Amino acid sequence: MISTTTPTIDGKVIEEYKGIVFGEVIAGVDFVKDFVAGLSNFFGGRSSTYEDELINARQQAIAEMENRASQIGANAVVGVDIDYEVLGANNGMLMVTASGTAVVVR
């Protein structure tokens, strides 16, 4: 499956538009990850704990979006957009949403 942020795919012709598809992931960050990230915040530097969680959530959201596109007969997704939100009473949840237009290309 080809997924791209552009409205077209170089060298491909869009034959059919199937509709908008989404992939959503809500990930929680546990106490241990919060503690380790807090150390990075205190001492400075990057938090690989949070970065790894963000990368994983983004990959899962894209995979979910592509799966939904495939289920409706698409073989590509164009115009992909990724959004991030922090949720929960203590902002302890991360929501990543991938969306785009499912298409059939040749």
Side-chain angles (χ1 to χ4, degrees), residues 52-74:
D52 291 345
E53 191 68 37
L54 182 61
I55 290 166
N56 186 39
R58 183 177 55 239
Q59 289 172 339
Q60 288 179 10
I62 292 169
E64 179 74 22
M65 176 194 65
E66 290 175 342
N67 183 43
R68 289 180 179 163
S70 180
Q71 289 175 354
I72 61 173

Side-chain angles (χ1 to χ4, degrees), residues 18-41:
K18 293 290 195 173
I20 299 170
V21 287
F22 295 89
E24 304 90 1
V25 171
I26 299 177
V29 182
D30 63 23
F31 172 75
V32 174
K33 289 179 183 176
D34 266 347
F35 179 75
V36 172
L39 292 175
S40 294
N41 187 37

